[in-house]
Amino acid sequence: MYAKFYTKSGDKIKYHKRSSVWPGIKFAEPINKPFIGWIIRNGKKIYFWRDTWATSIPL
């Protein structure tokens, strides 16, 4: 990550670097989008602040 956003001398880069991953993500998005969704508990009760979403601890 550091190499992507900083020069060898430690300064932040001030230009755009192309991504090698993004073209593959853009290609696969229309194929995968219909099959991607969220499963939240049993769907009856959702505790936004107490449920764990993307980490092992709640918000």
Side-chain angles (χ1 to χ4, degrees):
M1 260 328 228
Y2 191 84
K4 181 160 179 66
F5 297 107
Y6 291 89
T7 64
K8 290 181 181 179
S9 62
D11 298 324
K12 279 190 175 182
I13 62 166
K14 296 179 179 163
Y15 56 89
H16 173 73
K17 279 190 169 182
R18 292 182 54 91
S19 170
S20 61
V21 178
W22 186 244
I25 293 171
K26 286 190 341 186
F27 174 77
E29 187 263 339
I31 299 166
N32 293 322
K33 192 171 184 176
F35 305 104
I36 296 174
W38 291 81
I39 298 174
I40 303 173
R41 289 193 178 212
N42 61 7
K44 293 181 181 177
K45 283 190 172 183
I46 299 169
Y47 297 101
F48 181 81
W49 294 109
R50 293 190 179 133
D51 287 346
T52 54
W53 297 88
T55 64
S56 59
I57 59 172
L59 296 174

